[in-house]
Amino acid sequence: MLEELTKITGLVLEAEPMSLHTHFRIGGRARWFVEAKTPEMLQETIAFADKAGVAWFVLGGGSNLLVADEGFEGVVIKMAMRGVTINGLVVVAEAGVLSSFLARKTAEAGLAGFAWAISLPGTIGGAVRGNAGCFGGEMKDVIESVIVLRDGQLVRVPALEAGFGYRESVFKYNNDVIVSVTIRLEQGDPDTLVHQLDTTLEKRKTSQPLYAGSAGCVFKNLEVSEDEMQRLIKKFDLSVPVEMQTSRRISAGWLIDQLDLKGMKIGQAQVSPIHGNFIVNLGSATANDVLQLISLIKTRARNTFGIELKEEVQFLGDMKYGIK
C-alpha cells in the first residue's frame, strides 16, 4: 500500500497526527497522509484506495473538522491544488485555495462581491461544500459552476444543480469531490474593496475567539417559522433581537448565551466566553472533551427550549461518545 501510494503522490506520511492539520489542533493519527497536487493525482489516489478497500477522506483547510482521538484508519488526502485564474469578472479557483486568499486577490483586482469571505478560515472547496457564509454573504451568491470528481470522471455541476441551502449543498450527501469552482463577481474599486477587507477582519477579531484552536461555529443557526418564533418568545419570555425575528433565523450563539453556557468547560474544551457558538481548545483538549461539551449544549437546548441544535462541524473517525 505504501509503495503504491508513493508512486502516485510522491510522498506518503505514515501515522500522521491530524492535530497538525486541523484548526481545533485535536485529532489522532491518520494511517496514511498524502497531498493531491493535481486532479489526476486525486483521481488515481481515490481509485487505488477504492480498489484496495481502504477508507479515504479528502481534507481541505481543516477549519471545520473534529478528528477522533483514535485517529483515522485510512488515507487522508490533502487538497493541494491552489491555482487561481481571473478572466474579466469570472474567477476559477481550485479547491485547495484558501478562501481568505481568494477574497484578497479578487478585491485587489477590483472585483466586488467576495470581500466578505476574507473571514472564512478554510479552503474554497470546503466553503462550496458547506455553502459557507458570513457578514451577509454566501457562496451560493457568486457560484456559476463547480467541477467535481464523480465516479472517476471530472464533471461540471451548474450552481442550480448544486442544491445550495443554508450551510447545505448536494456535495455533503454524495461522493462528489470538489476540484474547482467558477465564480462571477462585479466590477468594483480596489481601494474601497481592500478597505472592506480590513473592516471585516477587525469585526472578526472582536467577535470571535482567535486566541485558541477551534472549528469555527459548532452549530447551525436555526431557521424557524413565524409561528415557532412566536412560540419561543411567548413560552420562554425571550427577547429575540428584531433582526432575528425579521429573518426568522435564530443565532445558535445567541441561543447558547440564553442557556448561560459561555465559559463552560469539560476537560480542556470550553464554550468560548466571547462567542457562544465556538468551542475552543485551551491547550490539550481531546475530541471526547469536545463531544461531551457538544452533547451537553444540545441536551440543554432541547430540555430548556425544545430546540434540536444541529452540528455544522464535520466529524472524522470513530468517536468514543456519540452525539446526543
Side-chain angles (χ1 to χ4, degrees), residues 228-238 304-306:
E228 176 66 5
M229 179 71 75
Q230 294 306 315
R231 181 191 76 83
L232 290 169
I233 292 172
K234 292 176 182 178
K235 183 172 182 180
F236 303 106
D237 194 27
L238 286 174
T304 304
F305 297 126

Side-chain angles (χ1 to χ4, degrees), residues 205-211 257 262-263 271-277:
K205 287 178 183 177
T206 58
S207 63
Q208 297 179 12
L210 304 181
Y211 59 87
D257 289 352
K262 273 187 174 178
V271 179
S272 168
I274 297 174
H275 193 309
N277 201 15

Side-chain angles (χ1 to χ4, degrees), residues 9-29:
T9 63
L11 177 66
V12 180
L13 300 177
E14 292 188 275
E16 176 70 358
M18 287 302 294
S19 58
L20 300 178
H21 301 280
T22 66
H23 285 218
F24 244 142
R25 302 169 198 162
I26 292 173
R29 297 176 183 273

